[in-house]
Amino acid sequence: MNQYATIPTLPGGFPSFPDFAPGEVWLVGAGPGDPRLLTLMALHALRSADTIVHDALIDPRVLELVRPNATIRSVGKRGGKPSPQQSEITEQLIAFARAGRKVLRLKGGDPFVFGRGGEEADALAEASIPFRIVPGLTAGLSGAALAGIPATTRSTNHAVILATGYRAEGHPDEEDWEAIAKTGQPVILYMAMSRLETIVAGFMRAGAGPDLPVAIVASATLADEEIVETTLSAALRDVRAHDLSAPAIVVIGEIAGLGNKLRTAMAGAVP
Ligand code: SAH
């Protein structure tokens, strides 16, 4: 057991946590990284599961919360190492569940936001494996918030677009950035760093001004968190100058320009 592992005493009448039954798979969002941003349900799941199957972006501090004798398996898709196919991951989940394990499928952020959680839930449904979804704080919204960037303010936007810079195999390679830019609504991009040039070009073609604020939040809530505030015309240069790399979210739009003031006034970010 460790310092994080106890759910705090909760008031009488607080809903009880569901039992993690053998043979179930729980698809759990781990939030952006910092373990203090886990939900109580995620903490309960981490304390109850005996088999954890997690992605590469899971913070090691989160994995420290599991039961001491739990099996932890990484199915990460990073670092140039051969990584399992999506179908192999779902096969593993199904096999563990059929073997009577309490299977925690741990995914970064929210499992249903650009995390293939929908596909995994679908495969579990097809295989008649009982499962639960435990939502998490998605990196786009929580990373922006911690950088002082509100997703909406009444004076800037009435919608916000969450988009991925990267499409699955078999889909057209290019998102229609010009059409997205023409909505005039801010965009919060995931997995966009390697596509930034194309994205910026699309915004320019749509008539977005060179001074349109852009903010990049890299490794939000992690030790190497870095926030870069720039503009559409300077974004590529500034990303190179800071040597920023994934994981990062990119915010394009007026809201991206609000972070500096709010961050300066904040009592402190989470880390
Ligand atoms: N399901 C996740 C997203 C998975 S896609 C969620 O809801 O957050 C992976 C992308 O998420 C990364 O390429 C990056 O764009 C973003 N991301 C995840 N963790 C992040 C972090 N700590 N800081 C910044 N971006 C992050």
Side-chain angles (χ1 to χ4, degrees), residues 32 57 108-110 113-115 138-140 189-191 217-220 222 247-249:
L57 280 178
D110 183 279
V113 180
F114 305 128
T138 191
L189 296 158
Y190 296 67
M191 296 178 276
V217 186
S219 300
L222 308 178
I249 56 149

Short mmCIF file of all heavy atoms in Angstrom, two decimals, residues 32 57 108-110 113-115 138-140 189-191 217-220 222 247-249, ligand 1:
data_model
loop_
_atom_site.label_atom_id
_atom_site.label_comp_id
_atom_site.label_asym_id
_atom_site.label_seq_id
_atom_site.Cartn_x
_atom_site.Cartn_y
_atom_site.Cartn_z
N PRO A 32 -4.98 13.38 -17.30
CA PRO A 32 -3.81 13.81 -18.07
C PRO A 32 -2.47 13.35 -17.51
O PRO A 32 -1.45 13.47 -18.19
CB PRO A 32 -3.92 15.34 -18.02
CG PRO A 32 -4.68 15.63 -16.77
CD PRO A 32 -5.64 14.48 -16.59
N LEU A 57 0.96 6.30 -22.34
CA LEU A 57 0.96 7.63 -21.73
C LEU A 57 0.52 7.64 -20.27
O LEU A 57 0.22 8.69 -19.72
CB LEU A 57 0.07 8.59 -22.53
CG LEU A 57 0.69 9.17 -23.81
CD1 LEU A 57 -0.32 10.06 -24.53
CD2 LEU A 57 1.96 9.96 -23.51
N GLY A 108 -5.16 6.91 -21.09
CA GLY A 108 -4.90 8.30 -20.74
C GLY A 108 -6.14 9.16 -20.95
O GLY A 108 -6.96 8.87 -21.82
N GLY A 109 -6.27 10.19 -20.15
CA GLY A 109 -7.38 11.15 -20.33
C GLY A 109 -8.72 10.49 -20.13
O GLY A 109 -8.98 9.85 -19.10
N ASP A 110 -9.60 10.64 -21.10
CA ASP A 110 -10.92 10.00 -21.08
C ASP A 110 -10.89 8.85 -22.09
O ASP A 110 -10.41 9.03 -23.21
CB ASP A 110 -12.00 11.01 -21.47
CG ASP A 110 -13.38 10.39 -21.37
OD1 ASP A 110 -13.78 9.67 -22.32
OD2 ASP A 110 -14.05 10.59 -20.34
N VAL A 113 -12.36 9.61 -25.65
CA VAL A 113 -11.93 10.77 -26.45
C VAL A 113 -10.61 10.40 -27.13
O VAL A 113 -9.57 10.32 -26.48
CB VAL A 113 -11.74 12.03 -25.58
CG1 VAL A 113 -11.28 13.21 -26.44
CG2 VAL A 113 -13.03 12.38 -24.86
N PHE A 114 -10.64 10.15 -28.42
CA PHE A 114 -9.47 9.81 -29.22
C PHE A 114 -8.61 8.72 -28.58
O PHE A 114 -7.40 8.74 -28.69
CB PHE A 114 -8.60 11.05 -29.49
CG PHE A 114 -9.34 12.16 -30.13
CD1 PHE A 114 -9.31 13.44 -29.59
CD2 PHE A 114 -10.09 11.94 -31.27
CE1 PHE A 114 -10.02 14.48 -30.19
CE2 PHE A 114 -10.80 12.97 -31.87
CZ PHE A 114 -10.77 14.23 -31.33
N GLY A 115 -9.23 7.81 -27.90
CA GLY A 115 -8.42 6.80 -27.21
C GLY A 115 -8.76 5.38 -27.63
O GLY A 115 -8.31 4.44 -27.01
N THR A 138 -10.20 14.65 -19.78
CA THR A 138 -9.51 14.59 -21.06
C THR A 138 -8.38 15.63 -21.12
O THR A 138 -8.51 16.73 -20.58
CB THR A 138 -10.53 14.74 -22.22
OG1 THR A 138 -9.84 14.41 -23.43
CG2 THR A 138 -11.12 16.12 -22.32
N ALA A 139 -7.27 15.24 -21.76
CA ALA A 139 -6.08 16.11 -21.77
C ALA A 139 -6.37 17.46 -22.43
O ALA A 139 -5.85 18.49 -21.98
CB ALA A 139 -4.93 15.41 -22.50
N GLY A 140 -7.20 17.47 -23.44
CA GLY A 140 -7.46 18.72 -24.16
C GLY A 140 -8.07 19.77 -23.26
O GLY A 140 -7.60 20.92 -23.20
N LEU A 189 -6.58 20.62 -30.30
CA LEU A 189 -6.10 19.51 -31.12
C LEU A 189 -5.29 18.52 -30.29
O LEU A 189 -4.44 18.89 -29.49
CB LEU A 189 -5.19 20.05 -32.21
CG LEU A 189 -5.85 20.96 -33.24
CD1 LEU A 189 -4.83 21.82 -33.91
CD2 LEU A 189 -6.60 20.11 -34.25
N TYR A 190 -5.57 17.25 -30.54
CA TYR A 190 -4.79 16.14 -29.97
C TYR A 190 -3.94 15.57 -31.11
O TYR A 190 -4.34 15.57 -32.26
CB TYR A 190 -5.72 15.03 -29.48
CG TYR A 190 -6.66 15.38 -28.36
CD1 TYR A 190 -7.70 16.29 -28.53
CD2 TYR A 190 -6.54 14.75 -27.12
CE1 TYR A 190 -8.57 16.58 -27.49
CE2 TYR A 190 -7.42 15.03 -26.08
CZ TYR A 190 -8.43 15.95 -26.28
OH TYR A 190 -9.30 16.23 -25.25
N MET A 191 -2.79 14.98 -30.74
CA MET A 191 -1.94 14.26 -31.71
C MET A 191 -1.69 15.11 -32.96
O MET A 191 -1.77 14.61 -34.08
CB MET A 191 -2.63 12.94 -32.12
CG MET A 191 -2.77 11.97 -30.96
SD MET A 191 -3.63 10.45 -31.41
CE MET A 191 -5.34 10.94 -31.25
N VAL A 217 0.35 23.13 -25.09
CA VAL A 217 0.61 22.64 -23.74
C VAL A 217 1.18 21.24 -23.88
O VAL A 217 0.49 20.31 -24.28
CB VAL A 217 -0.68 22.60 -22.88
CG1 VAL A 217 -0.34 22.24 -21.44
CG2 VAL A 217 -1.41 23.94 -22.93
N ALA A 218 2.47 21.12 -23.61
CA ALA A 218 3.14 19.82 -23.75
C ALA A 218 3.29 19.18 -22.38
O ALA A 218 3.57 19.86 -21.39
CB ALA A 218 4.51 20.00 -24.40
N SER A 219 3.09 17.88 -22.32
CA SER A 219 3.22 17.10 -21.08
C SER A 219 2.46 17.75 -19.93
O SER A 219 2.98 17.89 -18.82
CB SER A 219 4.69 16.92 -20.69
OG SER A 219 5.37 16.24 -21.70
N ALA A 220 1.22 18.13 -20.17
CA ALA A 220 0.40 18.77 -19.15
C ALA A 220 0.37 17.93 -17.88
O ALA A 220 0.19 16.71 -17.94
CB ALA A 220 -1.03 18.95 -19.66
N LEU A 222 2.70 16.94 -16.04
CA LEU A 222 3.88 16.09 -15.80
C LEU A 222 5.07 16.99 -15.45
O LEU A 222 5.01 18.21 -15.60
CB LEU A 222 4.18 15.24 -17.03
CG LEU A 222 2.97 14.44 -17.54
CD1 LEU A 222 3.32 13.65 -18.80
CD2 LEU A 222 2.44 13.50 -16.46
N PRO A 247 3.66 14.16 -25.71
CA PRO A 247 2.26 14.50 -25.91
C PRO A 247 2.02 15.99 -25.70
O PRO A 247 2.53 16.57 -24.75
CB PRO A 247 1.54 13.70 -24.84
CG PRO A 247 2.52 13.61 -23.71
CD PRO A 247 3.88 13.56 -24.37
N ALA A 248 1.27 16.56 -26.60
CA ALA A 248 0.95 17.98 -26.45
C ALA A 248 -0.42 18.24 -27.04
O ALA A 248 -0.84 17.56 -27.98
CB ALA A 248 1.99 18.82 -27.17
N ILE A 249 -1.10 19.21 -26.49
CA ILE A 249 -2.32 19.68 -27.11
C ILE A 249 -2.05 21.07 -27.70
O ILE A 249 -1.19 21.81 -27.20
CB ILE A 249 -3.51 19.73 -26.14
CG1 ILE A 249 -3.18 20.59 -24.91
CG2 ILE A 249 -3.93 18.33 -25.72
CD1 ILE A 249 -4.39 21.27 -24.35
N1 SAH B 1 -7.94 9.75 -24.42
C1 SAH B 1 -6.94 10.80 -24.28
C2 SAH B 1 -6.34 11.19 -25.61
C3 SAH B 1 -5.56 10.09 -26.29
S1 SAH B 1 -4.78 10.61 -27.76
C4 SAH B 1 -7.59 12.00 -23.57
O1 SAH B 1 -8.80 12.05 -23.42
O2 SAH B 1 -6.84 12.88 -23.15
C5 SAH B 1 -3.18 11.07 -27.17
C6 SAH B 1 -3.03 12.57 -27.25
O3 SAH B 1 -3.60 13.17 -26.11
C7 SAH B 1 -1.60 13.06 -27.27
O4 SAH B 1 -1.04 12.98 -28.57
C8 SAH B 1 -1.79 14.48 -26.84
O5 SAH B 1 -2.31 15.28 -27.88
C9 SAH B 1 -2.88 14.34 -25.79
N2 SAH B 1 -2.32 14.19 -24.43
C10 SAH B 1 -2.42 13.13 -23.62
N3 SAH B 1 -1.84 13.37 -22.43
C11 SAH B 1 -1.35 14.62 -22.50
C12 SAH B 1 -0.65 15.47 -21.59
N4 SAH B 1 -0.33 15.08 -20.35
N5 SAH B 1 -0.31 16.71 -22.01
C13 SAH B 1 -0.65 17.15 -23.23
N6 SAH B 1 -1.31 16.40 -24.13
C14 SAH B 1 -1.66 15.15 -23.78
#
